[in-house]
Amino acid sequence: MLATFFSFAAGNAGLITGLVLIVIALIIFVSNIKIVPQASVYVVERLGAFYQEWHTGPHFLIPFFDRVVKIVSIKEQVVDFKPQPVITKDNVTMQIDTVVFFQVTDAKQYTYGVERPLAAIENLSATTLRNIIGEMELDSTLTSRDVINTKITAILDQATDRWGIKVNRVELKNILPPREIQDAMEKQMKAERERREKILQAEGEKKSAILVAEGEKESKILRAQADKESHILEAEAQQQATLLRAEAIRQQKMLEAQGEAEALQMLNNAAPNNQIILLKSLEAFAKAADGKATKIIIPSEIQNLAGLTAALKNIAVDADIQNKANET
């Protein structure tokens, strides 16, 4: 079989060579077809010089002339740099690590502008951070993260613009002062918390005392108002009682006067007789007795008290008979 194969190959050498060349050409052609994915940029050189940037989609490299020198991601990237020693204005050494958010905006400048872009950004952020912290004291450094972040972002963005990099944000991740400074700060915070606690307790006691005093004041005012209203009601009750008694006396006197008037009317309507004359004499005698006369002459008709009593009885009987006669 080997003899047969070699004899066939010797007779068809030209055909086999052609097939091999076609296969090699297909492999080269397929291998030089490049499909650029989304959010990526290919930097292409031709004969060692920058040729063009390839964006999303299929592209073809000319074999032996073109080559992809760098694949650049244009997505926003996050780089966490290791802690950097910095010295504050009041000579306190701290360790600060930063987080940088950046995005490549120009793939050509990113490829040819700087040899190691991430190392350049790290060193630039470290030196910028030292300059900013060196102008600030420890307390302001710990409380001014936003100010430091804004300053570093502005400086890095301006410096990396020529590298085709856009720095969107820089954040201070950790600020670690020396251990003795941390202990002093903890003691200071503990003292501050104790001071605030005492202030809150004092304010609470003050408010409690004020509330108690206000409660006692309102209680006294309510008691005084209650006593006042009680006295007023009592006086009004006494006044009403007095008015009712006076009204009762007035009604009584009116009834007595009405009775006397009716009695006199009855006497005036009746015929005069000895008893009436005697009663009139008695009334005249009573009026004379009420006067200022020092001597009173008692008529003989009324000297006898028994006769006077009988006369009054007869007058009453006659008046009763006269009333019954008038009713019939």
Side-chain angles (χ1 to χ4, degrees), residues 59-273:
H59 299 273
F60 181 75
L61 284 172
I62 297 177
F64 311 109
F65 290 92
D66 298 340
R67 71 186 183 97
V68 177
V69 294
K70 197 174 189 63
I71 299 176
V72 180
S73 174
I74 59 175
K75 294 185 292 185
E76 185 172 10
Q77 303 178 45
V78 181
V79 181
D80 186 0
F81 297 128
K82 62 182 180 180
Q84 300 290 333
V86 294
I87 301 175
T88 62
K89 187 177 180 179
D90 48 355
N91 296 323
V92 177
T93 303
M94 299 186 300
Q95 297 288 331
I96 301 179
D97 57 343
T98 57
V99 180
V100 179
F101 299 80
F102 71 94
Q103 185 176 12
V104 177
T105 57
D106 192 325
K108 178 182 176 181
Q109 292 181 351
Y110 181 75
T111 302
Y112 300 103
V114 63
E115 180 64 28
R116 297 168 58 197
L118 294 182
I121 294 175
E122 181 179 6
N123 291 324
L124 182 60
S125 65
T127 55
T128 304
L129 184 62
R130 290 191 181 99
N131 292 333
I132 295 174
I133 298 299
E135 298 176 355
M136 304 174 67
E137 295 183 353
L138 176 62
D139 293 338
S140 60
T141 301
L142 298 175
T143 58
S144 303
R145 285 176 176 261
D146 292 338
V147 176
I148 298 173
N149 294 338
T150 303
K151 288 183 178 180
I152 295 179
T153 301
I155 294 173
L156 288 183
D157 185 41
Q158 183 179 3
T160 58
D161 185 63
R162 64 180 183 273
W163 301 338
I165 297 173
K166 171 67 176 177
V167 176
N168 297 323
R169 189 174 182 86
V170 179
E171 292 286 345
L172 301 184
K173 186 176 180 181
N174 291 312
I175 299 178
L176 301 175
R179 188 60 195 176
E180 58 272 14
I181 299 296
Q182 295 183 24
D183 295 339
M185 292 173 61
E186 290 177 357
K187 292 179 181 179
Q188 182 181 1
M189 291 301 299
K190 183 178 179 181
E192 181 66 19
R193 285 193 294 268
E194 291 177 353
R195 184 183 69 85
R196 292 179 181 177
E197 180 182 3
K198 291 180 180 179
I199 291 174
L200 291 175
Q201 290 179 353
E203 291 180 351
E205 293 176 356
K206 177 182 177 182
K207 291 180 179 179
S208 176
I210 292 173
L211 291 175
V212 171
E214 290 179 351
E216 293 178 353
K217 176 183 176 181
E218 292 179 358
S219 177
K220 290 180 180 179
I221 292 173
L222 292 175
R223 284 197 296 269
Q225 290 179 350
D227 293 340
K228 177 182 177 182
E229 292 177 357
S230 176
H231 291 318
I232 291 174
L233 292 175
E234 184 178 357
E236 290 178 352
Q238 292 178 357
Q239 182 181 6
Q240 291 180 359
T242 302
L243 292 175
L244 291 174
R245 286 195 296 269
E247 182 66 19
I249 294 172
R250 188 179 68 83
Q251 294 289 342
Q252 182 180 0
K253 290 182 178 180
M254 288 178 62
L255 292 174
E256 289 178 354
Q258 185 177 358
E260 291 178 357
E262 291 178 355
L264 292 175
Q265 184 67 29
M266 291 170 60
L267 292 175
N268 290 329
N269 293 332
N273 50 27

